[in-house]
C-alpha cells in the first residue's frame, strides 16, 4: 500500500485521469462499515444469527469497495498534504498512523474471523472476533475522521 503514494499509473505510461471525487465516497463507505459492525454485534448478542451473517458480509463488501476505491484514487491522484498546524497536526498524524497500522493488521484478522465462522468453528470465531471487532471498528471510524480532517486541504 505504501507504494500507492510513490507509484502513479501515469509514471508507468498509463494515461489515467485523476479521481478526486473518490475520498468522500470511500469515507462514507467507512462510516457505513462502522454502522454495520455495530449492528452486527447487536444482532448476534440478541440471537439474530442470520442478520449478523448478512451484516458481516455487508461490512466485508464495504471494506472491499473501500480498498478498491482507495487504490484507484492513490494510483491516479497526487497525494494531499495535511495543512493543519500545532496540536491538531500531531493529533492528525497520531490518528493517521494508528489508522494505517491497524488497517494493515485488520485484513488477516477479518479473513481468519470470517473463515472460522464459515467453517462453523464458532468457539474460535468468537475468541478472535473479540479482537477483530474493536480494531475493525477503530479503523472504520478513524478512516472517516482522517477524511474529515484532511478534506479542507484537497485541491479539486
Amino acid at each position: 500500500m505504501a507504494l500507492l503514494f510513490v507509484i502513479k499509473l501515469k509514471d508507468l505510461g498509463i494515461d489515467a485521469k485523476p479521481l478526486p471525487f473518490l475520498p468522500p465516497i470511500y469515507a462514507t463507505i467507512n462510516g457505513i462499515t462502522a454502522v454495520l459492525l455495530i449492528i452486527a454485534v447487536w444482532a448476534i448478542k440478541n440471537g439474530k444469527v442470520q442478520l449478523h451473517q448478512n451484516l458481516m458480509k455487508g461490512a466485508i463488501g464495504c471494506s472491499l469497495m473501500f480498498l478498491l476505491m482507495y487504490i484507484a484514487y492513490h494510483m491516479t491522484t497526487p497525494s494531499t498534504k495535511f495543512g493543519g498546524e500545532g496540536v491538531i497536526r500531531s493529533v492528525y498524524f497520531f490518528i493517521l498512523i494508528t489508522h494505517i497500522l491497524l488497517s494493515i493488521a485488520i485484513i488477516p484478522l477479518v479473513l481468519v474471523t470470517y473463515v472460522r465462522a464459515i467453517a462453523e468453528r464458532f468457539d474460535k470465531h468468537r475468541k478472535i472476533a473479540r479482537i477483530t471487532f474493536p480494531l475493525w471498528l477503530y479503523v472504520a471510524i478513524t478512516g472517516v475522521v482522517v477524511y474529515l480532517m484532511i478534506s479542507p486541504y484537497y485541491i479539486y
Side-chain angles (χ1 to χ4, degrees), residues 25-36:
I25 296 170
Y26 62 66
T28 300
I29 289 172
N30 262 333
I32 292 168
T33 301
V35 170
L36 291 174

Side-chain angles (χ1 to χ4, degrees), residues 6-37:
V6 180
I7 298 174
K8 302 295 182 200
L9 290 178
K10 69 177 170 179
D11 297 337
L12 302 172
I14 300 169
D15 185 29
K17 293 182 182 179
L19 303 169
F21 59 89
L22 285 179
I25 296 170
Y26 62 66
T28 300
I29 289 172
N30 262 333
I32 292 168
T33 301
V35 170
L36 291 174
L37 290 171

Side-chain angles (χ1 to χ4, degrees), residues 8-66:
K8 302 295 182 200
L9 290 178
K10 69 177 170 179
D11 297 337
L12 302 172
I14 300 169
D15 185 29
K17 293 182 182 179
L19 303 169
F21 59 89
L22 285 179
I25 296 170
Y26 62 66
T28 300
I29 289 172
N30 262 333
I32 292 168
T33 301
V35 170
L36 291 174
L37 290 171
I38 292 166
I39 297 170
V41 168
W42 172 87
I44 200 64
K45 287 183 184 241
N46 287 281
K48 301 174 185 303
V49 175
Q50 188 62 52
L51 177 60
H52 172 76
Q53 291 172 346
N54 292 339
L55 290 164
M56 292 311 299
K57 288 175 188 174
I60 290 169
C62 283
S63 290
L64 288 172
M65 285 191 304
F66 162 82

Side-chain angles (χ1 to χ4, degrees), residues 65-134:
M65 285 191 304
F66 162 82
L67 188 58
L68 292 173
M69 284 187 242
Y70 184 85
I71 290 169
Y73 173 78
H74 283 287
M75 290 197 77
T76 61
T77 311
S79 294
T80 300
K81 304 277 188 222
F82 182 71
E85 297 176 2
V87 173
I88 195 68
R89 186 171 183 80
S90 298
V91 169
Y92 171 78
F93 281 108
F94 174 80
I95 294 170
L96 178 64
I97 291 166
T98 58
H99 170 80
I100 291 169
L101 293 175
L102 290 174
S103 69
I104 294 165
I106 202 63
I107 294 170
L109 281 170
V110 168
L111 292 174
V112 169
T113 305
Y114 184 67
V115 167
R116 287 180 177 176
I118 60 174
E120 298 183 4
R121 298 294 311 267
F122 298 118
D123 56 330
K124 292 184 179 261
H125 169 76
R126 274 188 295 276
K127 191 173 185 178
I128 195 169
R130 287 188 175 110
I131 298 166
T132 304
F133 168 71

